[in-house]
Amino acid sequence: MAKKNAFYAQSGGVTAVINASACGVIETARKHKDKIGKVYAGRNGIIGALTEELIDTTKESARAIASLRHTPSGAFGSCRYKLKSLEANKREYERLIEVFKAHNIGYFFYNGGGDSADTCYKVSQLSEKLGYPVQAIHVPKTVDNDLPITDCCPGFGSVAKYIAVSTLEASFDVASMAKTSTKVFVVEVMGRHAGWIAAAGGLVEDHGIPVVILFPEIEFDQKKFLAKVDAMVKKHGYCSVVVSEGCHYPDGKFLAEQGTRDAFGHAQLGGAAPVVANMIKEAHGYKFHWAVADYLQRAARHIASKTDVDQAYALGKSAVELAIKGQNAVMPTVDRVSDKPYKWKIGVAPLSKVANVEKFMPRDFITADGFGITAKCRTYLTPLIKGEDYPPFKDGLPQYVRLKNVAVPKKLASFKI
Amino acid sequence: MAKKNAFYAQSGGVTAVINASACGVIETARKHKDKIGKVYAGRNGIIGALTEELIDTTKESARAIASLRHTPSGAFGSCRYKLKSLEANKREYERLIEVFKAHNIGYFFYNGGGDSADTCYKVSQLSEKLGYPVQAIHVPKTVDNDLPITDCCPGFGSVAKYIAVSTLEASFDVASMAKTSTKVFVVEVMGRHAGWIAAAGGLVEDHGIPVVILFPEIEFDQKKFLAKVDAMVKKHGYCSVVVSEGCHYPDGKFLAEQGTRDAFGHAQLGGAAPVVANMIKEAHGYKFHWAVADYLQRAARHIASKTDVDQAYALGKSAVELAIKGQNAVMPTVDRVSDKPYKWKIGVAPLSKVANVEKFMPRDFITADGFGITAKCRTYLTPLIKGEDYPPFKDGLPQYVRLKNVAVPKKLASFKI
């Protein structure tokens, strides 16, 4: 059988370590040149496959590829694009096959979250359903940590570390000012459906910080929340609040959608943090500060978790090894072997069980009152933020790599998405 | 003459490195026990002196004091409290003398910004005006970098580094997503009057990032700004915007005060970032994300600038050395000796020339169009963010010290502020 090339693409919101997975895929493929030909990357994700905008990663030096390990964001561009079902949009799948055939692609590595796992699963069925032989392996990635089966998802540990470190630092700040000034600090974090990232803020309790967490899993009870904050401030002199962007009222309305209007009547400028901060001010009169971390949290490679970087790389590497072993429709996973000392190994999950399944915080990871994390959650989270893995710096700034991203010459007619 | 004790207090908003100055003061005083007795710290700043709430720093181990060097926030508590003039509130000055006398205090080290320099200057006059011998030395600190004479202010370099690193990382993120999703990222930074912090965002241009800066020094011109952003997005596919909280319209109205109302009609929830982001969306339809860094930026000791930490420590050390040399009413300064290689030394400025003077960005540090920084500004800023000085970590989090803060027994009747 002729040696096949590989296609690799990044999907959905990028992270501090998705390029570490790319590094794992490319470096491992380069070590197996007898089995895998070139690695082509999709420019801007799967869209690059559909439009035949492929990037020839063989044009990048070993050093540039190695630098991906410490570079945040998606080096080849990403996109939010979910393939419909084969029945609903056969045209797209036929186009994929056309592109794969034209460039002799036999391996499909897709690096993303839940939606991407679904797309990857659909591609893995091309062989059976449309008679084109392709092995599709999903490389997990999502700051939301909501993929099933795997113990955790690359990208999450680093965001968790960023949120824990930032909450700790800002809380120290507020503690200094609380006597005569700011008494409450509110930070808004990502997580529309699952509260994993917000939970990481709870780790600062180990450092004696009074903190209240607002999870998307727990319906917001304003009265209970305000009483909790007040009790914290009365006891400790100050309090930090970590609010998930997905925190909502019992009727499903997000806190951030409080009907805020600008001078022109346009809806909702702010996020959940200013809403919560003003609510506290209104009820108790406490001076507040608030922050919205947004992209800063998921891009913060400078404070990435070493555990996370190692796992991101290992999963990319394993994806290629699984492909070489002839596997299809699978996703390498992180399997936790032990908590203390933390040990993990790579496992394998069938994509049929991964696609479209969301993993939420277990209720016993959240305290009974709904505002904190339990010892069980702490045991789960702590190893995931462990270890530092600083990028190299020059003149005060991290040296992140920008690839040449040389285009593979097109062979086909253009395709409209 | 009997050996006198020293009083040290932290004032105003705290920073990532104000404790490094405290470390410099205390460690240096401990080396000169023949000249300086105990160092008492004010609990919550100058208020601690007025209320006789003094902290006995001799109760802290050498290790704990050394750890201040890598701990953000104000270890003894800070406050926003400006002494009125001697004429307007003689009672407070008499109280200070009463407390100083009771605790044999002859040295006053005040660690703060412009307002604090003014307070420190007033205290330095006690000897002359009220006959009490005290040497008052100001230790500069302010993230705003707006003190005169000194080349830069401790606290600024670390915020500048945080903003430059964060803008770089988030810009890499946006660049990955821009093809099909977010095209504009807006981050709001501190600086009500001076644009030094915002300017630091401009350093990412060296890394090829298209960035637009909104300074408080430049009156906001919405039409020009929107055209600039549009041109950047059309050219590069995306754009980052760094907006200073102090950015305002020609009539002085802050961008953040756009008349934003919540559902109950309460004024202004959000900051400048969401206002700017929505403005761009409105005009050009670009998908955006925005962040407000707030306390995260000034507390971010994990990504502090080594230059900044070194200078913060050196200024604390020098303050004590100046006191030992018999100086009064002065502030040690950072004097820039050369740009490349960056060299600096400690100088001395009379407090009479520091108090109540604000240093703004020179116009030639800002590009002609008002949206960027010049080569001259770059030359000034780059060395200030240079070098990393990571705190020690344990279990994924920085090991910041919390002092015992043992109270000195009170000797006087209570005093109402």
Side-chain angles (χ1 to χ4, degrees), chain B residues 346-399:
Chain B
I346 296 290
V348 188
L351 275 183
S352 58
K353 293 197 173 168
V354 175
N356 298 314
V357 180
E358 259 179 300
K359 183 175 71 179
F360 300 103
M361 291 265 291
R363 187 57 185 86
D364 66 356
F365 273 32
I366 301 175
T367 51
D369 71 0
F371 295 124
I373 60 172
T374 60
K376 203 167 170 183
C377 182
R378 222 167 278 280
T379 301
Y380 170 75
L381 288 176
T382 301
L384 306 186
I385 70 164
K386 210 165 174 177
E388 294 67 54
D389 188 61
Y390 302 116
F393 277 72
K394 196 187 156 197
D395 285 338
L397 286 174
Q399 291 297 289

Side-chain angles (χ1 to χ4, degrees), chain A residues 294-369:
Chain A
D294 195 67
Y295 277 6
L296 305 189
Q297 70 199 286
R298 74 181 200 192
R301 181 60 183 82
H302 74 272
I303 190 66
S305 147
K306 186 173 189 312
T307 302
D308 193 29
V309 175
D310 289 347
Q311 291 175 346
Y313 184 89
L315 289 162
K317 176 173 178 276
S318 302
V320 174
E321 290 167 350
L322 287 167
I324 290 172
K325 284 181 193 152
Q327 297 249 28
N328 183 32
V330 294
M331 174 181 92
T333 56
V334 173
D335 295 355
R336 187 179 292 227
V337 177
S338 65
D339 290 321
K340 284 186 185 180
Y342 177 57
K343 285 185 187 166
W344 56 277
K345 61 181 178 60
I346 296 289
V348 189
L351 274 184
S352 57
K353 294 198 172 167
V354 174
N356 298 314
V357 181
E358 258 180 299
K359 182 174 73 179
F360 299 103
M361 291 265 293
R363 188 57 185 87
D364 66 357
F365 273 32
I366 301 174
T367 51
D369 71 359

Side-chain angles (χ1 to χ4, degrees), chain B residues 328-349:
Chain B
N328 183 32
V330 294
M331 175 181 91
T333 57
V334 173
D335 294 356
R336 187 179 293 225
V337 177
S338 65
D339 290 322
K340 283 182 184 182
Y342 177 57
K343 285 185 187 167
W344 56 278
K345 63 179 177 59
I346 296 290
V348 188

